[in-house]
Amino acid sequence: ESMFPTRRWTYEALTEYCQSRYGDKVTPKPYALVEEFKFSDEDLKRSSRILFTNGMQDMWHAGSYLDDVTDSILALNFENGAHHSDLSHVGPSDNDTEDIRLGFIQITNILNDWLNEVKEEAGKN
Protein backbone atom coordinates (compact mmCIF):
# COMPACT_ATOMS: atom_id res chain seq x y z
CA GLU A 1 0.00 0.00 0.00
CA SER A 2 1.31 3.43 -0.95
CA MET A 3 1.95 6.30 1.43
CA PHE A 4 0.46 8.46 -1.37
CA PRO A 5 -3.17 7.35 -1.59
CA THR A 6 -4.90 8.05 -4.86
CA ARG A 7 -7.00 11.17 -4.68
CA ARG A 8 -8.13 13.76 -7.15
CA TRP A 9 -6.84 17.23 -6.27
CA THR A 10 -8.89 20.27 -7.20
CA TYR A 11 -8.74 23.96 -6.41
CA GLU A 12 -11.80 23.50 -4.21
CA ALA A 13 -10.14 20.68 -2.26
CA LEU A 14 -6.97 22.73 -1.84
CA THR A 15 -8.96 25.74 -0.62
CA GLU A 16 -10.90 23.59 1.84
CA TYR A 17 -7.67 22.06 3.16
CA CYS A 18 -5.93 25.44 3.54
CA GLN A 19 -8.90 26.99 5.30
CA SER A 20 -9.37 24.04 7.65
CA ARG A 21 -5.68 24.11 8.54
CA TYR A 22 -4.92 27.85 8.57
CA GLY A 23 -8.30 29.56 8.95
CA ASP A 24 -11.06 30.92 6.76
CA LYS A 25 -9.01 33.92 5.63
CA VAL A 26 -6.43 31.74 3.88
CA THR A 27 -7.22 31.11 0.23
CA PRO A 28 -4.86 29.85 -2.49
CA LYS A 29 -4.03 32.51 -5.08
CA PRO A 30 -3.63 30.84 -8.46
CA TYR A 31 -3.31 34.20 -10.23
CA ALA A 32 -0.75 35.75 -7.86
CA LEU A 33 1.96 35.87 -10.54
CA VAL A 34 -0.33 37.85 -12.82
CA GLU A 35 -1.75 40.11 -10.12
CA GLU A 36 1.41 40.81 -8.14
CA PHE A 37 4.19 40.48 -10.71
CA LYS A 38 2.26 41.09 -13.93
CA PHE A 39 3.44 37.72 -15.27
CA SER A 40 0.93 36.21 -17.65
CA ASP A 41 0.45 33.40 -20.14
CA GLU A 42 1.42 35.87 -22.87
CA ASP A 43 4.79 36.40 -21.17
CA LEU A 44 5.21 32.67 -20.96
CA LYS A 45 4.46 32.22 -24.66
CA ARG A 46 7.37 34.56 -25.48
CA SER A 47 9.68 32.26 -23.53
CA SER A 48 11.22 28.99 -24.64
CA ARG A 49 12.63 25.74 -23.34
CA ILE A 50 10.59 25.37 -20.17
CA LEU A 51 9.61 21.93 -18.93
CA PHE A 52 6.82 21.55 -16.38
CA THR A 53 6.76 18.12 -14.74
CA ASN A 54 3.74 17.17 -12.70
CA GLY A 55 3.22 14.23 -10.38
CA MET A 56 -0.54 13.80 -10.55
CA GLN A 57 -0.66 12.31 -7.03
CA ASP A 58 0.77 15.56 -5.68
CA MET A 59 -1.63 18.36 -4.90
CA TRP A 60 0.72 20.94 -6.41
CA HIS A 61 -0.11 19.79 -9.91
CA ALA A 62 -3.40 21.68 -9.63
CA GLY A 63 -1.47 24.94 -9.90
CA SER A 64 0.73 23.92 -12.79
CA TYR A 65 0.50 23.79 -16.55
CA LEU A 66 -0.83 20.36 -17.46
CA ASP A 67 -0.73 20.85 -21.23
CA ASP A 68 2.02 22.05 -23.55
CA VAL A 69 1.92 25.82 -23.97
CA THR A 70 4.05 25.97 -27.14
CA ASP A 71 6.39 23.64 -29.04
CA SER A 72 9.15 24.39 -26.52
CA ILE A 73 7.15 24.98 -23.33
CA LEU A 74 6.17 21.47 -22.40
CA ALA A 75 4.17 19.74 -19.70
CA LEU A 76 4.80 16.14 -18.73
CA ASN A 77 2.31 14.53 -16.37
CA PHE A 78 3.05 11.40 -14.36
CA GLU A 79 -0.06 9.59 -13.18
CA ASN A 80 1.80 7.82 -10.38
CA GLY A 81 4.13 10.71 -9.57
CA ALA A 82 4.11 12.39 -6.21
CA HIS A 83 6.18 15.12 -4.62
CA HIS A 84 9.54 15.18 -6.45
CA SER A 85 9.32 11.59 -7.69
CA ASP A 86 9.75 12.96 -11.21
CA LEU A 87 12.71 15.19 -10.32
CA SER A 88 15.24 12.92 -8.65
CA HIS A 89 18.83 13.57 -9.70
CA VAL A 90 19.73 9.90 -9.33
CA GLY A 91 17.61 8.63 -12.19
CA PRO A 92 15.02 5.91 -12.25
CA SER A 93 15.18 3.00 -9.84
CA ASP A 94 13.49 -0.37 -9.57
CA ASN A 95 11.18 1.20 -6.98
CA ASP A 96 9.79 3.72 -9.48
CA THR A 97 6.62 3.07 -11.43
CA GLU A 98 6.78 2.57 -15.19
CA ASP A 99 5.59 6.11 -15.95
CA ILE A 100 8.33 7.60 -13.76
CA ARG A 101 11.03 5.39 -15.32
CA LEU A 102 9.90 6.37 -18.83
CA GLY A 103 9.62 9.98 -17.71
CA PHE A 104 13.28 10.10 -16.72
CA ILE A 105 14.20 9.02 -20.23
CA GLN A 106 11.83 11.51 -21.79
CA ILE A 107 13.09 14.39 -19.60
CA THR A 108 16.72 13.49 -20.33
CA ASN A 109 16.04 13.42 -24.08
CA ILE A 110 14.23 16.76 -24.05
CA LEU A 111 16.95 18.48 -22.03
CA ASN A 112 19.72 16.99 -24.20
CA ASP A 113 17.94 18.20 -27.35
CA TRP A 114 17.60 21.70 -25.90
CA LEU A 115 21.25 21.81 -24.82
CA ASN A 116 22.33 20.72 -28.30
CA GLU A 117 20.12 23.43 -29.84
CA VAL A 118 21.70 26.08 -27.62
CA LYS A 119 25.22 24.88 -28.46
CA GLU A 120 24.37 24.93 -32.16
CA GLU A 121 22.90 28.43 -31.92
CA ALA A 122 25.95 29.65 -29.99
CA GLY A 123 28.23 28.23 -32.64
CA LYS A 124 26.48 30.26 -35.35
CA ASN A 125 27.22 33.56 -33.58
Side-chain angles (χ1 to χ4, degrees), residues 4 10 40 60 65 75 80 85 90 92 109:
F4 301 107
T10 64
S40 69
W60 301 113
Y65 287 90
N80 296 300
S85 63
V90 246
N109 289 339

PDB file of all heavy atoms in Angstrom, residues 4 10 40 60 65 75 80 85 90 92 109:
ATOM      1  N   PHE A   4       1.124   7.420  -0.595  1.00  0.00           N
ATOM      2  CA  PHE A   4       0.459   8.457  -1.368  1.00  0.00           C
ATOM      3  C   PHE A   4      -0.853   7.890  -1.911  1.00  0.00           C
ATOM      4  O   PHE A   4      -0.909   7.421  -3.033  1.00  0.00           O
ATOM      5  CB  PHE A   4       1.334   8.928  -2.526  1.00  0.00           C
ATOM      6  CG  PHE A   4       2.651   9.484  -2.082  1.00  0.00           C
ATOM      7  CD1 PHE A   4       3.824   8.780  -2.274  1.00  0.00           C
ATOM      8  CD2 PHE A   4       2.718  10.724  -1.462  1.00  0.00           C
ATOM      9  CE1 PHE A   4       5.037   9.294  -1.865  1.00  0.00           C
ATOM     10  CE2 PHE A   4       3.926  11.249  -1.048  1.00  0.00           C
ATOM     11  CZ  PHE A   4       5.088  10.534  -1.243  1.00  0.00           C
ATOM     12  N   THR A  10      -8.227  19.164  -6.513  1.00  0.00           N
ATOM     13  CA  THR A  10      -8.886  20.266  -7.200  1.00  0.00           C
ATOM     14  C   THR A  10      -8.613  21.551  -6.440  1.00  0.00           C
ATOM     15  O   THR A  10      -8.190  21.521  -5.277  1.00  0.00           O
ATOM     16  CB  THR A  10     -10.406  20.051  -7.269  1.00  0.00           C
ATOM     17  OG1 THR A  10     -10.930  20.063  -5.933  1.00  0.00           O
ATOM     18  CG2 THR A  10     -10.754  18.738  -7.972  1.00  0.00           C
ATOM     19  N   SER A  40       2.133  36.803 -17.078  1.00  0.00           N
ATOM     20  CA  SER A  40       0.929  36.210 -17.651  1.00  0.00           C
ATOM     21  C   SER A  40       1.277  35.096 -18.630  1.00  0.00           C
ATOM     22  O   SER A  40       2.448  34.875 -18.958  1.00  0.00           O
ATOM     23  CB  SER A  40       0.123  37.284 -18.384  1.00  0.00           C
ATOM     24  OG  SER A  40       0.830  37.690 -19.555  1.00  0.00           O
ATOM     25  N   TRP A  60       0.184  19.764  -5.745  1.00  0.00           N
ATOM     26  CA  TRP A  60       0.723  20.943  -6.410  1.00  0.00           C
ATOM     27  C   TRP A  60       0.456  20.940  -7.903  1.00  0.00           C
ATOM     28  O   TRP A  60       0.527  21.993  -8.534  1.00  0.00           O
ATOM     29  CB  TRP A  60       2.222  21.065  -6.120  1.00  0.00           C
ATOM     30  CG  TRP A  60       2.491  21.180  -4.660  1.00  0.00           C
ATOM     31  CD1 TRP A  60       3.128  20.256  -3.874  1.00  0.00           C
ATOM     32  CD2 TRP A  60       2.104  22.248  -3.787  1.00  0.00           C
ATOM     33  NE1 TRP A  60       3.158  20.683  -2.569  1.00  0.00           N
ATOM     34  CE2 TRP A  60       2.531  21.909  -2.489  1.00  0.00           C
ATOM     35  CE3 TRP A  60       1.428  23.440  -3.967  1.00  0.00           C
ATOM     36  CZ2 TRP A  60       2.325  22.725  -1.395  1.00  0.00           C
ATOM     37  CZ3 TRP A  60       1.215  24.254  -2.868  1.00  0.00           C
ATOM     38  CH2 TRP A  60       1.665  23.901  -1.609  1.00  0.00           C
ATOM     39  N   TYR A  65       0.937  23.978 -15.169  1.00  0.00           N
ATOM     40  CA  TYR A  65       0.499  23.787 -16.554  1.00  0.00           C
ATOM     41  C   TYR A  65       0.460  22.284 -16.802  1.00  0.00           C
ATOM     42  O   TYR A  65       1.461  21.604 -16.620  1.00  0.00           O
ATOM     43  CB  TYR A  65       1.470  24.459 -17.523  1.00  0.00           C
ATOM     44  CG  TYR A  65       1.361  25.958 -17.502  1.00  0.00           C
ATOM     45  CD1 TYR A  65       2.127  26.711 -16.626  1.00  0.00           C
ATOM     46  CD2 TYR A  65       0.472  26.615 -18.334  1.00  0.00           C
ATOM     47  CE1 TYR A  65       2.017  28.090 -16.585  1.00  0.00           C
ATOM     48  CE2 TYR A  65       0.350  27.990 -18.306  1.00  0.00           C
ATOM     49  CZ  TYR A  65       1.132  28.729 -17.433  1.00  0.00           C
ATOM     50  OH  TYR A  65       1.008  30.085 -17.395  1.00  0.00           O
ATOM     51  N   ALA A  75       4.672  20.276 -20.966  1.00  0.00           N
ATOM     52  CA  ALA A  75       4.172  19.743 -19.700  1.00  0.00           C
ATOM     53  C   ALA A  75       4.168  18.222 -19.788  1.00  0.00           C
ATOM     54  O   ALA A  75       3.603  17.653 -20.721  1.00  0.00           O
ATOM     55  CB  ALA A  75       2.761  20.260 -19.431  1.00  0.00           C
ATOM     56  N   ASN A  80       1.403   8.381 -11.678  1.00  0.00           N
ATOM     57  CA  ASN A  80       1.798   7.821 -10.382  1.00  0.00           C
ATOM     58  C   ASN A  80       2.815   8.681  -9.646  1.00  0.00           C
ATOM     59  O   ASN A  80       3.317   8.292  -8.600  1.00  0.00           O
ATOM     60  CB  ASN A  80       2.371   6.418 -10.580  1.00  0.00           C
ATOM     61  CG  ASN A  80       1.325   5.486 -11.124  1.00  0.00           C
ATOM     62  OD1 ASN A  80       0.293   5.276 -10.506  1.00  0.00           O
ATOM     63  ND2 ASN A  80       1.558   4.945 -12.311  1.00  0.00           N
ATOM     64  N   SER A  85       8.952  12.900  -7.153  1.00  0.00           N
ATOM     65  CA  SER A  85       9.325  11.590  -7.694  1.00  0.00           C
ATOM     66  C   SER A  85       9.775  11.699  -9.143  1.00  0.00           C
ATOM     67  O   SER A  85      10.513  10.851  -9.625  1.00  0.00           O
ATOM     68  CB  SER A  85       8.156  10.603  -7.581  1.00  0.00           C
ATOM     69  OG  SER A  85       7.058  11.049  -8.357  1.00  0.00           O
ATOM     70  N   VAL A  90      19.070  11.205  -9.245  1.00  0.00           N
ATOM     71  CA  VAL A  90      19.726   9.904  -9.335  1.00  0.00           C
ATOM     72  C   VAL A  90      19.260   9.087 -10.524  1.00  0.00           C
ATOM     73  O   VAL A  90      19.917   8.151 -10.905  1.00  0.00           O
ATOM     74  CB  VAL A  90      19.516   9.058  -8.060  1.00  0.00           C
ATOM     75  CG1 VAL A  90      20.771   8.820  -7.307  1.00  0.00           C
ATOM     76  CG2 VAL A  90      18.423   9.540  -7.209  1.00  0.00           C
ATOM     77  N   PRO A  92      16.054   6.877 -12.630  1.00  0.00           N
ATOM     78  CA  PRO A  92      15.019   5.906 -12.246  1.00  0.00           C
ATOM     79  C   PRO A  92      15.604   4.739 -11.459  1.00  0.00           C
ATOM     80  O   PRO A  92      16.763   4.384 -11.625  1.00  0.00           O
ATOM     81  CB  PRO A  92      14.458   5.445 -13.591  1.00  0.00           C
ATOM     82  CG  PRO A  92      15.538   5.706 -14.569  1.00  0.00           C
ATOM     83  CD  PRO A  92      16.300   6.895 -14.060  1.00  0.00           C
ATOM     84  N   ASN A 109      15.990  13.172 -22.630  1.00  0.00           N
ATOM     85  CA  ASN A 109      16.041  13.417 -24.077  1.00  0.00           C
ATOM     86  C   ASN A 109      15.671  14.854 -24.422  1.00  0.00           C
ATOM     87  O   ASN A 109      16.326  15.485 -25.254  1.00  0.00           O
ATOM     88  CB  ASN A 109      15.126  12.442 -24.813  1.00  0.00           C
ATOM     89  CG  ASN A 109      15.662  11.032 -24.799  1.00  0.00           C
ATOM     90  OD1 ASN A 109      16.850  10.799 -24.598  1.00  0.00           O
ATOM     91  ND2 ASN A 109      14.781  10.061 -24.984  1.00  0.00           N
TER      92      ASN A 109
END
